[in-house]
């Protein structure tokens, strides 16, 4: 368990690091437990903090995942 340290992304705590994964996965329930809102539409998703500020945007990929990008 740990905390993300990517300076261009918001701090995420209690994350699990798995060396065998080719991509990092975010737990939607854990994000919501931290008082954020996750919104999806056909091509993108947004994670919004409790003050209404969008803190992460994700864009749908060809394999039906959402790749996040720093704002």
């Amino acid at each position: 368990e740990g905390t993300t340290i990517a300076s261009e992304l918001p701090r995420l705590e209690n994350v699990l690091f798995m060396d065998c994964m080719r991509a990092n996965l975010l737990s939607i329930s854990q994000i919501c437990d931290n008082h954020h809102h996750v919104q999806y539409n056909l091509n993108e998703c947004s994670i919004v903090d409790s003050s209404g500020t969008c803190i992460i945007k994700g864009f749908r990929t060809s394999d039906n995942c959402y790749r996040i990008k720093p704002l």
Side-chain angles (χ1 to χ4, degrees), residues 46-62:
S46 302
I47 299 174
V48 179
D49 67 14
S50 58
S51 69
T53 301
C54 181
I55 58 172
I56 297 176
K57 275 249 190 234
F59 300 92
R60 191 172 182 172
T61 63
S62 61

Side-chain angles (χ1 to χ4, degrees), residues 18-42:
M18 301 181 73
D19 290 333
C20 62
M21 300 289 291
R22 288 181 18 165
N24 296 313
L25 304 175
L26 296 176
S27 167
I28 301 305
S29 61
Q30 187 176 7
I31 290 169
C32 293
D33 288 347
N34 285 313
H35 308 287
H36 300 312
H37 299 279
V38 182
Q39 303 166 337
Y40 289 91
N41 67 32
L42 182 62

